[in-house]
Amino acid sequence: MTNIREGIRDITQFEEPDWLLFREALTGRQIGKGQFLMQPGDTCRHIHFLQTGLLRSFYLKEGEEWTVAFSLENSFCTDLKSLRSGQPSEIGIQALEPSTLLSISKSDLITLYQQSHQIEAFGRRLLEALLEEQEEYLSWFRLYSAKERYDFMLQKHPALLQRVPLGQLASYLGIRRETLSRIRGLRA
Amino acid sequence: MTNIREGIRDITQFEEPDWLLFREALTGRQIGKGQFLMQPGDTCRHIHFLQTGLLRSFYLKEGEEWTVAFSLENSFCTDLKSLRSGQPSEIGIQALEPSTLLSISKSDLITLYQQSHQIEAFGRRLLEALLEEQEEYLSWFRLYSAKERYDFMLQKHPALLQRVPLGQLASYLGIRRETLSRIRGLRA
DNA sequence: GCGAATGTGTGACAAAAGTCAAAAAGCTAC
DNA sequence: GTAGCTTTTTGACTTTTGTCACACATTCGC
C-alpha cells in the first residue's frame, strides 16, 4: 500500500485524514499475464493504480488491436471516456505481465471528491500531468516520422521496449509491425 | 461576462459566492487580427477564455509554424506545459480574427483553487473534458489517413474550415499544404 | 486601380509507409 | 528434443504523402 501513497505525494500534499479516507475506498486485486481487466464493450467503472506489472489499453479497428497506452508500475489506468459517460467502452485493458492493482470505483471517487477538497485537488493535478503528457505524445504524431517516434520511445521508455511485443509497440506508434522491424534493422 | 458564466455552468455547479470570487480575478482584453497573445519563448502565465473570435496555438519546428490547436468562442486557451513549469513556452498564440478575452493569472487561479472547493472541482472537470477530447484527437493520428482526418474535421468543425487558411489547417492535420489541397480536390 | 505579399492548386518525381507472401527465429508443451 | 504455435524479419510491389517548381488567385496597402 506504500507505493500509491508515494505516487500521490508526488502530485499533491495529502494530510493523514484524507489518506485514510482514500485508502478506505481502495480494493486490492491481482491479475495474471494475458488476462483482461476489461474488454471492449464493458463499461469502465474504476480507476486502477498499478502497483506492479504492466498493462496495455487497446482499441479495436476492423478486427485489429491498436494499443493506445501502456501503463507502467506506479501509474494510474482507466478509460476516461467510458468512465465519464457511463457508456460501453471502445477500449480493452489487458495485463502483459502478472500485475497487482489497487482500484477505486467511480462512485466512491465522486464521494471522496465531495468530502475532501484535498482529494479533489489531487484529481485536478493528476489530470494536468496526464494532459501535459498527452500533448507531448500528440506532437510526436503531428510532427515526426515513424523512425523519430521510435527514437523518442527509446529515449523516454527504454526499458519498456524489452517488455512489450514488437507488434504492440508498432501499433502504439501508429505503424505496421513490418515497418517497425525495418526501422529497428537500420540501427544494427 | 455572461458567456463565461454559461461555459462554467456547463461544466459544474457554481454557487453565487464562488462566481463572484472567480469574476473578481478576470481581466478583459481585446486583440486584433494577426496579433500575438504570446510568442514562442514567452512564459505563459494566464489561462484565457475566448468570448469572441478565433485563436491558434502553434509550435515552431525548423522555422515552420505547426498549428497545434484552434480555440473557438467560449473555450479556454493556454499553454499548459509552460503554465505549470514556469519555463519559456515552445508555443505561440495568435488571433486569427479580432478577439475578446477574459484572462485569469496563474497565481490568482491557484489562490482561488485554495479558497474554493467548487472552483477546484471546476478545474478538475474542465481538465477531464480536455483530456477526453485530446484522446480522441490523438486517435485520429494513430489510426487514420490524412484524408480521414480531414473528413473528421469536416464532421466535427465544418464552420472552422471556412475561417482558417488552408496552410494552417494542413499543419493542424499534420500534413503539407499540397496534400490537403489534393484531398480537397478529390471531393469536387 | 496596381503591385506585393500571401494563399491555393497542379504536375513530376522522391521518400515513407503499407500490403502481401513467405522465410527465419523464438516459445511452449508435451 | 521436437512439433506446433507465435513473433519477427525480409523481399517485391503499391499506395500515400512529401518535395520542389511554378502557375494562378486573392487580399491588402497605398
Side-chain angles (χ1 to χ4, degrees):
Chain A
M1 193 70 91
T2 55
N3 281 344
I4 189 170
R5 179 94 216 240
E6 292 299 314
I8 290 170
R9 229 196 294 266
D10 285 349
I11 293 170
T12 196
Q13 256 201 321
F14 244 39
E15 303 299 333
E16 196 64 16
D18 292 316
W19 166 243
L20 294 177
L21 217 56
F22 193 84
R23 190 177 62 178
E24 197 66 22
L26 294 173
T27 313
R29 181 168 173 191
Q30 310 234 124
I31 180 173
K33 177 172 177 170
Q35 288 198 294
F36 290 87
L37 202 55
M38 60 183 275
Q39 293 272 8
D42 295 350
T43 298
C44 183
R45 304 193 194 283
H46 294 82
I47 294 180
H48 308 282
F49 178 84
L50 186 62
Q51 291 186 292
T52 62
L54 180 61
L55 304 178
R56 75 183 248 268
S57 309
F58 63 90
Y59 174 86
L60 280 180
K61 186 196 173 200
E62 290 151 23
E64 273 183 302
E65 295 182 358
W66 288 84
T67 298
V68 298
F70 295 107
S71 302
L72 297 163
E73 294 91 351
N74 297 317
S75 67
F76 290 89
C77 177
T78 190
D79 175 30
L80 188 63
K81 186 175 174 185
S82 171
L83 188 78
R84 272 167 39 94
S85 70
Q87 299 297 312
S89 176
E90 297 166 277
I91 300 292
I93 303 178
Q94 185 184 29
L96 297 185
E97 301 173 2
S99 301
T100 58
L101 311 161
L102 295 173
S103 305
I104 185 168
S105 74
K106 175 183 174 180
S107 55
D108 282 350
L109 188 61
I110 289 175
T111 305
L112 286 178
Y113 279 155
Q114 287 167 350
Q115 285 178 323
S116 160
H117 188 160
Q118 270 310 309
I119 295 177
E120 182 100 53
F122 163 70
R124 175 181 63 77
R125 289 185 203 187
L126 177 60
L127 284 162
E128 278 184 7
L130 291 175
L131 187 55
E132 187 180 325
E133 198 178 337
Q134 193 94 320
E135 280 179 1
E136 181 190 354
Y137 183 43
L138 183 52
S139 77
W140 291 12
F141 283 89
R142 206 194 314 257
L143 301 169
Y144 299 100
S145 70
K147 164 135 190 12
E148 288 170 312
R149 296 201 293 276
Y150 175 72
D151 289 339
F152 289 145
M153 201 67 192
L154 265 180
Q155 284 171 36
K156 256 202 132 172
H157 299 292
L160 190 62
L161 305 204
Q162 314 306 321
R163 297 166 68 184
V164 162
L166 177 134
Q168 287 174 16
L169 180 62
S171 75
Y172 181 70
L173 295 173
I175 59 179
R176 294 273 144 191
R177 299 173 207 85
E178 295 93 328
T179 302
L180 181 52
S181 182
R182 284 179 181 114
I183 287 171
R184 297 209 308 174
L186 293 178
R187 58 183 54 254
Chain B
M1 193 70 89
T2 54
N3 281 344
I4 190 171
R5 179 93 216 240
E6 293 297 315
I8 292 171
R9 227 197 296 264
D10 285 350
I11 293 170
T12 196
Q13 257 201 321
F14 244 39
E15 304 299 332
E16 196 65 15
D18 293 315
W19 166 242
L20 294 178
L21 217 54
F22 193 84
R23 190 177 62 178
E24 199 66 21
L26 294 173
T27 312
R29 180 166 172 192
Q30 312 234 123
I31 181 173
K33 177 172 177 171
Q35 287 198 295
F36 290 86
L37 201 54
M38 61 184 274
Q39 293 271 9
D42 294 351
T43 298
C44 184
R45 303 195 194 280
H46 294 83
I47 295 181
H48 307 283
F49 178 83
L50 186 62
Q51 292 187 291
T52 61
L54 179 60
L55 304 178
R56 75 182 248 269
S57 308
F58 62 91
Y59 175 87
L60 279 180
K61 187 196 171 200
E62 290 151 24
E64 273 183 302
E65 295 181 359
W66 288 84
T67 297
V68 297
F70 295 108
S71 302
L72 296 163
E73 296 91 349
N74 297 317
S75 66
F76 291 88
C77 177
T78 189
D79 175 29
L80 188 62
K81 185 175 174 185
S82 171
L83 188 78
R84 271 167 39 96
S85 70
Q87 299 298 311
S89 176
E90 298 167 276
I91 299 292
I93 303 177
Q94 184 183 30
L96 296 184
E97 301 174 1
S99 301
T100 59
L101 311 160
L102 295 172
S103 304
I104 185 168
S105 75
K106 175 183 175 180
S107 55
D108 282 350
L109 188 60
I110 289 176
T111 306
L112 286 177
Y113 280 155
Q114 289 167 347
Q115 287 179 322
S116 160
H117 188 160
Q118 269 310 307
I119 295 176
E120 181 100 55
F122 162 71
R124 175 181 61 80
R125 289 186 202 185
L126 178 60
L127 284 163
E128 278 184 7
L130 291 175
L131 186 56
E132 186 180 326
E133 199 179 334
Q134 194 93 319
E135 281 180 359
E136 181 190 352
Y137 182 44
L138 182 52
S139 76
W140 290 13
F141 283 88
R142 205 192 315 255
L143 301 168
Y144 300 101
S145 70
K147 166 138 191 9
E148 288 170 312
R149 296 202 293 275
Y150 176 72
D151 289 341
F152 289 144
M153 200 69 193
L154 265 179
Q155 284 170 38
K156 256 202 134 173
H157 300 294
L160 189 63
L161 304 203
Q162 313 308 319
R163 297 166 69 184
V164 162
L166 180 132
Q168 288 175 15
L169 180 62
S171 75
Y172 181 70
L173 295 174
I175 58 179
R176 293 273 144 190
R177 300 172 207 86
E178 297 92 328
T179 303
L180 181 52
S181 183
R182 284 178 181 116
I183 286 170
R184 298 211 308 171
L186 293 178
R187 58 184 54 253

